[in-house]
Amino acid sequence: MIGIKKLDHLVITTTDVRRCVAFYEALGFESFEVFGRYELHAENIKINVQTMGKELPPHARNVQPGSADFCFELSEDIHDFLNRAKANGIMPERELVTRIGRFGSMISVYFMDPDGNIVEFCQY
């Protein structure tokens, strides 16, 4: 086995940082302003939010809002999570479907953030 342990953080690009941060906060992330940009935290997850045209170097060659597709495993019941998201005005793109993740069969729910990124939440 190679020595890679886990993903430390990922970076998403937005056209409207306040709208982006509000969306992720409604899903349960905490936001922090650090060094003039926002970070979103949930358990051991960190998302850096960069504004289009104001990226910190080094950055991807073709920075583009709405080009990400990522999945987070939930530590709570997926039905409770989905109900809370809806109560906060966040409607899913696709509700409760069976998918195959890193550890086998899982139930997933998909959301689209304000920039068009697909954000999946799953429970094994």
Side-chain angles (χ1 to χ4, degrees):
M1 173 148 305
I2 59 176
I4 298 171
K5 181 177 178 181
K6 67 178 182 74
L7 178 69
D8 182 77
H9 68 277
L10 61 99
V11 180
I12 58 173
T13 303
T14 185
T15 58
D16 184 335
V17 71
R18 301 232 182 265
R19 183 180 66 168
C20 177
V21 167
F23 172 85
Y24 286 93
E25 286 176 337
L27 290 172
F29 284 83
E30 292 182 274
S31 67
F32 302 90
E33 190 169 357
V34 179
F35 301 119
R37 70 166 184 219
Y38 279 89
E39 294 181 358
L40 302 166
H41 297 189
E43 293 194 20
N44 63 353
I45 298 165
K46 177 182 161 189
I47 302 173
N48 291 336
V49 180
Q50 64 183 4
T51 303
M52 184 71 181
K54 298 180 182 177
E55 302 86 3
L56 294 176
H59 55 78
R61 182 175 298 137
N62 297 307
V63 175
Q64 189 70 27
S67 62
D69 182 338
F70 43 90
C71 178
F72 300 112
E73 182 181 354
L74 294 169
S75 62
E76 68 176 298
D77 181 78
I78 196 165
H79 299 92
D80 294 342
F81 176 81
L82 178 57
N83 290 335
R84 190 176 67 255
K86 288 179 178 180
N88 285 324
I90 308 296
M91 296 299 127
E93 286 293 308
R94 184 170 291 170
E95 289 193 34
L96 303 182
V97 294
T98 301
R99 295 288 188 251
I100 302 297
R102 172 69 175 89
F103 299 105
S105 183
M106 62 189 194
I107 303 296
S108 292
V109 59
Y110 292 84
F111 298 91
M112 186 170 294
D113 80 7
D115 291 291
N117 297 303
I118 291 294
V119 186
E120 176 183 1
F121 293 87
C122 74
Q123 183 175 45
Y124 284 95

